[in-house]
Amino acid sequence: MRLSPDEIIFWQDGFLKLNATIVFTWGLMLVLAIGAKLITRRLSMDLNRSRWQNLLEIVVTGIVTQIEGVGLNQPQKYLGFLGTLFLFVASASLCTVIPGYEPPTGSLSTTVALALCVLVAVPMFGIEEQGVGNYLKSYIEPTFIMLPFNIISEISRTLALAVRLFGNMMSGAMIVGILLSITPFIFPVVMTLLGLLTGLVQAYIFFILAAVYIAAATRVRKPTTKPIAEL
Amino acid sequence: MLIDWFTVGAQVLNFLILVWLMKRFLYKPILHAIDAREKRIASELADADAKRAEAQKDREEFQHKNAEFDRQRAALLNKATDEANAERQRLLDEARLAAETLRAKRQDTLMREYLNLNDEITRRTHEEVFAIARKTLTDLAGASLEESMSEAFTCRLRALSKETKERLANALKTSSEPALVRSAFDLTPDLQAAIQNAINESFSADIDVHFETKSAIIGGIELIANGRKIAWSIEDYLTALQKDVGELLKAPSAPQDPPVSPLNVKAGPRQESGTESATPEEVK
């Protein structure tokens, strides 16, 4: 039983290898980039625009709206990172309808990579927004006793991000595989549709959690006023 | 082991590349297009607002001008109406005045014609009266009348005042020509002698007298010497009477039934001439 597309290796030279995860990721990257390039090649600034442009505009403005909804005041600043997270995870899930396709997000390596990106991006955005000192100070608030718990929280939530996405995507693919072996064709199709829904939900969850983490890190804390009695 | 760290690294790199690609080919162009469209819509809305404001301003200006135009038109109309009324009144007054002047002139002309006719009738009448009187007296003239006239002449000669006699005597004496005695008919030698005697007695001198007959003297005798004349004749009476009657006719014979009109009150030749003439009572 194959749990991850990492196991499908096309080429290997020592440490370097070219497995299905990387290949399908490249494929998705190509599709996304070329598709975006093709559609945005003839962008209309007018009121009349193509359906594809409409679709892309809906997607982009939807992402921007969601980022704003989380509480980030400058959504376009985070659009590149968060939007790409969503689009990559969502497109990886949607492409599961293609026969022979293995979603890269079904590999723990990919989800860990994405989670690591979030793990790095959160403090980067936080430091950029409120400075190194203020950001690091947030780990020892309200007291320095919270420092280990905060660090554990950072690690655990990154792990949770990675495992949640991997588990959902892997389970979806595995369920379809198992059902294909024991039931007729109709039921796996239904499960595949359900898997599409699950994948989109997971993409949204991944995206929104990353946004929430970034929002929490970039939130400028107001200076706490100590009670008069303590003075 | 589910995690292949080379794959993790590769996926991180792939993801970063994908982020760049998406930024480059998707987000920037799309956001740029959306911004451009929003700007365009905003500018169009602003333009529409400006145009609407301008249209509103134009409309208000137009309404204001329209109201001003209406007001001016009404004012001009009122002014024109007033002027037309004034002009009509003026023309009516002029026409009335002209009509009244014309009527007055016609009235005056009629009055003049009436007076002229009246004068002519009066003149003809008294001319006829005198012609009839002359004719009658001429027809009656005869020897006995001549005698009477001679007697009346001599009586008158004798009855002259002393001063008159002296003036006549001087005239007779200084005259180189003989005194002239005119009569309408030939005087008989007796009557001539009687007159000669009366003259001689009256002037106490022997006066050379020449007798002459002149039919124009209707009935009477006259003595002419050196530009002075003493006479007694019916012609004189008639001439005096004619003179009196003429003066009487010259007097403003007030029209018995003068047409009454407002113009006559203002001016009229009748009144003007009346002031120059004497009334019949004054003549008397």
Side-chain angles (χ1 to χ4, degrees), chain A residues 118-165:
Chain A
V118 174
L119 179 70
V120 175
V122 168
M124 274 179 66
F125 285 125
I127 289 167
E128 184 187 357
E129 193 68 30
Q130 52 183 343
V132 181
N134 281 334
Y135 178 74
L136 291 178
K137 202 188 284 179
S138 67
Y139 281 95
I140 57 170
E141 280 182 351
T143 62
F144 69 92
I145 301 168
M146 294 300 291
L147 177 65
F149 298 104
N150 281 329
I151 293 170
I152 292 168
S153 163
E154 291 282 330
I155 295 167
S156 65
R157 76 187 185 191
T158 305
L159 191 64
L161 271 179
V163 173
R164 183 191 301 112
L165 182 58

Side-chain angles (χ1 to χ4, degrees), chain B residues 54-105:
Chain B
E54 192 179 355
Q56 181 70 21
K57 187 182 167 189
D58 286 351
R59 183 165 168 270
E60 285 174 0
E61 191 178 346
F62 172 74
Q63 282 178 341
H64 179 69
K65 280 185 179 174
N66 216 2
E68 182 72 15
F69 174 71
D70 284 345
R71 198 177 60 74
Q72 283 182 358
R73 189 180 60 180
L76 285 175
L77 196 63
N78 285 337
K79 190 180 171 188
T81 308
D82 291 346
E83 284 178 356
N85 285 335
E87 183 68 16
R88 189 185 67 170
Q89 191 61 37
R90 191 183 66 79
L91 289 174
L92 280 175
D93 288 346
E94 275 185 5
R96 191 177 293 124
L97 192 63
E100 285 178 357
T101 308
L102 203 63
R103 191 169 63 184
K105 197 181 281 182

Side-chain angles (χ1 to χ4, degrees), chain B residues 66-265:
Chain B
N66 216 2
E68 182 72 15
F69 174 71
D70 284 345
R71 198 177 60 74
Q72 283 182 358
R73 189 180 60 180
L76 285 175
L77 196 63
N78 285 337
K79 190 180 171 188
T81 308
D82 291 346
E83 284 178 356
N85 285 335
E87 183 68 16
R88 189 185 67 170
Q89 191 61 37
R90 191 183 66 79
L91 289 174
L92 280 175
D93 288 346
E94 275 185 5
R96 191 177 293 124
L97 192 63
E100 285 178 357
T101 308
L102 203 63
R103 191 169 63 184
K105 197 181 281 182
R106 196 181 65 215
Q107 197 85 28
D108 191 43
T109 308
L110 282 173
M111 182 60 72
R112 281 179 191 280
E113 284 179 1
Y114 167 74
L115 290 175
N116 286 338
L117 189 62
N118 210 8
D119 287 349
E120 184 69 18
I121 289 169
T122 307
R123 191 177 60 78
R124 290 272 180 91
T125 304
H126 83 251
E127 277 180 1
E128 287 298 321
V129 166
F130 285 116
I132 290 166
R134 279 192 183 91
K135 181 93 172 51
T136 308
L137 288 172
T138 306
D139 290 346
L140 288 176
S144 58
L145 182 64
E146 287 169 7
E147 284 177 11
S148 300
M149 285 191 293
S150 297
E151 193 173 343
F153 178 72
T154 53
C155 286
R156 183 166 185 177
L157 200 61
R158 287 189 185 100
L160 284 174
S161 63
K162 193 178 179 182
E163 291 173 1
T164 311
K165 277 183 181 176
E166 283 177 359
R167 281 202 300 270
L168 271 175
N170 287 333
L172 288 169
K173 283 171 187 171
T174 54
S175 174
S176 58
E177 292 178 1
L180 184 63
V181 174
R182 282 185 194 161
S183 62
F185 303 96
D186 291 337
L187 297 172
T188 59
D190 293 341
L191 289 176
Q192 289 182 354
I195 290 167
Q196 180 74 56
N197 286 334
I199 291 169
N200 290 341
E201 282 175 15
S202 297
F203 300 113
S204 305
D206 192 8
I207 306 294
D208 187 14
V209 175
H210 177 70
F211 291 93
E212 191 179 296
T213 303
K214 190 179 179 185
S215 59
I217 301 168
I218 293 170
I221 298 168
E222 62 185 16
L223 170 64
I224 298 167
N226 201 17
R228 292 181 180 273
K229 184 174 88 171
I230 179 167
W232 180 94
S233 72
I234 296 169
E235 172 72 19
D236 285 343
Y237 286 112
L238 286 176
T239 303
L241 177 61
Q242 189 172 7
K243 189 179 176 185
D244 287 346
V245 172
E247 285 179 356
L248 189 67
L249 288 175
K250 278 182 188 173
S253 56
Q256 285 138 14
D257 292 311
V260 178
S261 81
L263 287 175
N264 285 338
V265 179

Side-chain angles (χ1 to χ4, degrees), chain A residues 16-17 19 21 25-26 29 37 40 43-44 46 49 53 56-57 61 79 83-84 87 108-110 113-114, chain B residues 2-4 6-8 11-12 14-15 17-18 22 25-27 29 31-34 36-37 40-41:
Chain A
L16 300 177
K17 65 178 77 168
N19 54 27
T21 305
T25 302
W26 285 351
M29 286 168 67
K37 176 67 182 170
T40 57
L43 272 183
S44 164
D46 216 337
R49 48 196 185 273
Q53 185 182 345
L56 284 191
E57 285 187 7
T61 51
L79 178 65
T84 309
L87 287 179
L108 190 58
S109 304
T110 306
L114 295 179
Chain B
L2 287 173
I3 299 174
D4 177 23
F6 172 76
T7 310
V8 170
Q11 289 296 75
V12 168
N14 283 338
F15 178 72
I17 292 170
L18 185 61
M22 288 292 101
F25 294 120
L26 183 62
Y27 305 133
L31 289 176
H32 178 69
I34 290 172
R37 190 179 303 121
R40 178 172 174 170
I41 289 170

